[in-house]
Amino acid sequence: EEVAVKSWQRYAGVFLLALAGLVIQQSVWVLRLMDHGQPGSGFMPFGLGVILAILAILLIATNLGPEEEQVPFWKPKAWLHPLLAIAITAAYVVVFDDIGAITSVVVLVTGWLLLVEHKTVVVSAATGLATGLVVYLVFDRFLQTPFPRGLLF
């Protein structure tokens, strides 16, 4: 089955715009934007609703005009990549506490690049180690965030 790409993008934009309107309406009428001179419980939802509305309008605006060439909705074996991504993410969640935050980030990034993105072993390992180092320096040393300790860190 082939689908028209631009019309679905417009439909999604209209749906997201309606959702943004609902979030904004609820944050103003049900929650409070301001409470005794301070931001109230509706302040963040209001801001996020405005951002969602802007992005929805951009989505609609960038997909105006005639439809592009129709493409097949689901290519053969196209389910493999999303399933692999879900499996890698699930493994990350399961082992996070056991092997530690930094080590699990290294394994996640390396596995993702190697298995999902089909990068070379060298590129995957180097990027995974660099990401782990940045997470370690920023969160463990600079921000002193209490991450679960694991095998290496």
Side-chain angles (χ1 to χ4, degrees), residues 46-145:
F46 179 80
L48 294 174
V50 169
I51 292 170
L52 181 59
I54 291 168
L55 292 174
I57 291 169
L58 288 173
L59 182 63
I60 295 167
T62 57
N63 287 290
L64 293 176
E67 293 293 334
E68 295 176 352
E69 178 184 337
Q70 293 189 352
V71 295
F73 178 70
W74 200 255
K75 295 178 182 175
K77 295 187 181 180
W79 54 270
L80 192 58
H81 272 84
L83 186 62
L84 189 57
I86 290 170
I88 291 172
T89 306
Y92 170 75
V93 169
V94 168
V95 301
F96 185 80
D97 286 332
D98 295 330
I99 68 170
I102 308 301
T103 309
S104 61
V105 166
V106 171
V107 171
L108 170 76
V109 172
T110 304
W112 191 282
L113 291 175
L114 193 62
L115 300 173
V116 177
E117 298 297 327
H118 302 293
K119 301 293 181 187
T120 65
V121 174
V122 173
V123 169
S124 299
T127 306
L129 289 172
T131 304
L133 179 64
V134 168
V135 168
Y136 173 75
L137 291 174
V138 170
F139 290 100
D140 195 63
R141 290 292 165 214
F142 181 67
L143 296 175
Q144 298 179 349
T145 305

